[in-house]
């Protein structure tokens, strides 16, 4: 469900949901565009699973940040080894409903987030907003409805 992302190594990373498997969020990589290799994954606990619909952003410090859709809102996990292993997913401070979201690195170097409502609020699946972070996702500006 997630869109591919090109990381600094030149690999294309494909986030893939496999909702009834463990790991439920998997990351595949390709460099040649023809072959895919599983590099690692994240498993939300069964009680939090919904449709993982994960995104991945490579942070400037080299870590990967994944925002996943949990049954009660967004969760996040981090990898320090190019997606091979991931921290246990925790509720994201972004908050919000259980819905799709989008994170992308912009050409400016900032991170774009598209999600429902304002940061830290759960208004349900309404008020789709765009936010920008210039500090690697620590804070968000905007809220373009």
């Amino acid at each position: 469900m997630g869109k591919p992302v090109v990381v600094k190594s030149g690999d294309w990373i494909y986030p893939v949901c496999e909702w009834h498997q463990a790991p439920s969020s998997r990351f595949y990589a390709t460099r040649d565009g023809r072959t895919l290799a599983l590099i690692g994954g994240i498993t939300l606990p069964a009680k939090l699973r919904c449709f993982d619909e994960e995104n991945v952003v490579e942070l400037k410090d080299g870590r990967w940040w994944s925002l996943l859709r949990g049954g009660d809102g967004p969760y996040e996990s981090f990898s320090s080894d190019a997606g091979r292993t991931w921290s246990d997913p925790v509720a994201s401070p972004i908050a919000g409903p259980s819905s799709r979201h989008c994170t992308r690195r912009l050409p400016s170097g900032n991170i774009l987030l598209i999600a429902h409502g304002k940061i830290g609020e759960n208004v349900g699946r309404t008020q789709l907003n765009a936010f920008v972070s210039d500090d690697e996702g620590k804070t968000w500006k905007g809220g373009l409805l």
Side-chain angles (χ1 to χ4, degrees):
M1 299 291 297
K3 303 299 183 231
V5 174
V6 180
V7 293
K8 291 176 189 168
S9 68
D11 288 342
W12 285 67
I13 307 304
Y14 291 85
V16 176
C17 299
E18 298 194 43
W19 301 321
H20 303 291
Q21 305 290 319
S24 53
S25 294
R26 298 176 185 206
F27 299 91
Y28 292 85
T30 185
R31 195 166 285 182
D32 63 14
R34 289 180 288 234
T35 58
L36 290 173
L38 176 65
I39 53 175
I42 306 165
T43 298
L44 281 169
K47 67 181 181 176
L48 299 176
R49 279 197 198 158
C50 179
F51 308 104
D52 294 8
E53 298 174 339
E54 66 286 312
N55 288 270
V56 65
V57 172
E58 184 175 26
L59 301 175
K60 291 178 181 174
D61 66 7
R63 291 179 304 146
W64 292 7
W65 171 49
S66 182
L67 196 61
L68 305 99
R69 176 181 177 184
D72 60 352
Y75 283 75
E76 61 186 14
S77 181
F78 295 88
S79 174
S80 296
D81 58 5
R84 288 174 191 80
T85 60
W86 291 85
S87 64
D88 289 336
V90 297
S92 172
I94 291 170
S98 175
S99 64
R100 286 202 66 171
H101 48 268
C102 176
T103 53
R104 291 286 180 276
R105 174 78 60 190
L106 297 171
S108 66
N110 295 333
I111 299 173
L112 170 69
L113 167 67
I114 299 174
H116 289 98
K118 300 293 182 191
I119 301 295
E121 296 179 3
N122 185 344
V123 297
R125 294 179 71 166
T126 183
Q127 301 177 20
L128 195 60
N129 280 274
F131 302 92
V132 174
S133 176
D134 60 8
D135 61 4
E136 298 299 275
K138 294 179 185 75
T139 61
W140 299 93
K141 298 175 184 173
L144 178 63
L145 184 62

